[in-house]
Amino acid sequence: MPYGLITTPTEKLARPFGDRISKESISQQAYAAIRASLMRSRLRPGQKLVARQVAAELGISVTPVRESLLRLVSENALALDERGTVMVPELDFARSIEIRDLRILLEGDGAARAASLVTEADIAALAATHERYLKTEGSKDFAAALEENENFHFGLCRLARSPVLFSIVQNLWIQFGPVLSYLYDGRSKPFHGQTHGHVLVLDALRRRDPEMARKAIGDDILIGGSALLDKLPKTGV
């Protein structure tokens, strides 16, 4: 009798390896991987995404990758050029300002909520994330620094205990994530000579001060974003 099929009339069919892997689950994993690459600045503005190449890197077939790319196009996270090639969109100045201002509003609200709910363990975990960020930035591992920066912002947002808010913030990061790679292009690092915004956020959380936390994360986004704006095309203004 085939392995895993031994049963009695009253038993359910055994599944020693868990549920079957469906085509839909592979597509979802591909979508999640590409989405994370956008948020973490692994993909740069203007970069072309060829389904076959992406599939080879992920070790899966082309079909779920193609479906994932088109799904992200429909969500305005990716774009199609005149030849139908999928690419990471180039954000113009006006759209970047809009996304930045929405992040200040929404992440600020999340930080204010977090300040009223946060525990000492939560603060310690977020402080450890910031320390990893400083370490990776200091060693010029900028890809890891960008990832830890995302971890800090998302970690703070999760502390608001608002899944809807967190989902909206994630969608903004999908659109804005690729341009964050411009933060490390040989010029001065963000917050050079200033107290880092993350430190001010942590101070606000320790004080359990919602408005201080709102302002701190807003200033963090504003100061970090200012280093990007002069590198973007001034179209749409």
Side-chain angles (χ1 to χ4, degrees):
M1 183 174 290
Y3 174 74
L5 298 182
I6 299 175
T7 184
T8 69
T10 59
E11 290 178 328
K12 292 184 177 180
L13 192 65
R15 290 190 181 276
F17 303 111
D19 293 334
R20 292 172 182 264
I21 296 176
S22 66
K23 175 177 175 292
E24 288 73 19
S25 69
I26 295 175
S27 294
Q28 181 61 30
Q29 291 175 56
Y31 169 81
I34 299 168
R35 191 170 181 263
S37 293
L38 288 165
M39 286 191 289
R40 293 176 177 174
S41 308
R42 295 172 184 162
L43 301 173
R44 296 179 68 90
Q47 184 174 344
K48 294 182 178 180
L49 300 178
V50 179
R52 191 172 300 279
Q53 294 175 353
V54 176
E57 184 171 335
L58 293 175
I60 59 177
S61 65
V62 172
T63 299
V65 170
R66 186 177 291 116
E67 291 172 349
S68 300
L69 292 175
L70 292 177
R71 178 178 172 186
L72 287 162
V73 168
S74 72
E75 295 173 354
N76 296 316
L78 295 174
L80 289 173
D81 67 13
E82 62 279 0
R83 296 183 178 179
T85 302
V86 178
M87 61 186 298
V88 181
E90 298 267 9
L91 287 189
D92 63 26
F93 188 85
R95 187 171 179 184
S96 297
I97 289 287
E98 181 182 13
I99 293 173
R100 182 203 65 186
D101 290 349
L102 285 170
R103 284 187 58 212
I104 290 173
L105 179 67
L106 294 169
E107 293 187 43
D109 189 60
R113 295 185 188 201
S116 299
L117 299 170
V118 73
T119 67
E120 289 299 324
D122 293 331
I123 296 171
L126 205 60
T129 299
H130 178 61
E131 289 303 314
R132 290 194 300 272
Y133 166 77
L134 292 178
K135 182 177 181 179
T136 52
E137 187 185 58
S139 63
K140 300 188 184 302
D141 186 353
F142 297 137
L146 287 167
E147 185 169 339
E148 294 298 348
N149 179 62
E150 179 202 296
N151 290 339
F152 185 93
H153 282 261
F154 283 8
L156 176 64
C157 199
R158 285 190 184 95
L159 294 177
R161 313 289 195 267
S162 176
V164 174
L165 175 65
F166 183 63
S167 177
I168 297 171
V169 168
Q170 278 188 310
N171 286 335
L172 291 173
W173 273 73
I174 293 170
Q175 298 178 61
F176 199 67
V179 302
L180 289 174
S181 61
Y182 295 157
L183 284 173
Y184 301 108
D185 63 352
R187 301 188 187 185
S188 296
K189 297 183 294 186
F191 295 98
H192 181 68
Q194 304 178 60
T195 301
H196 198 285
H198 294 179
V199 174
L200 299 178
V201 169
L202 290 166
D203 287 345
L205 295 180
R206 292 187 182 103
R207 294 169 184 261
R208 307 301 196 273
D209 188 328
E211 292 311 309
M212 183 180 175
R214 185 192 304 276
K215 184 178 187 306
I217 196 63
D219 288 348
D220 177 75
I221 295 169
L222 193 64
I223 294 171
S226 66
L228 302 172
L229 293 178
D230 61 350
K231 305 170 189 178
L232 300 175
K234 302 297 191 292
T235 57
V237 295

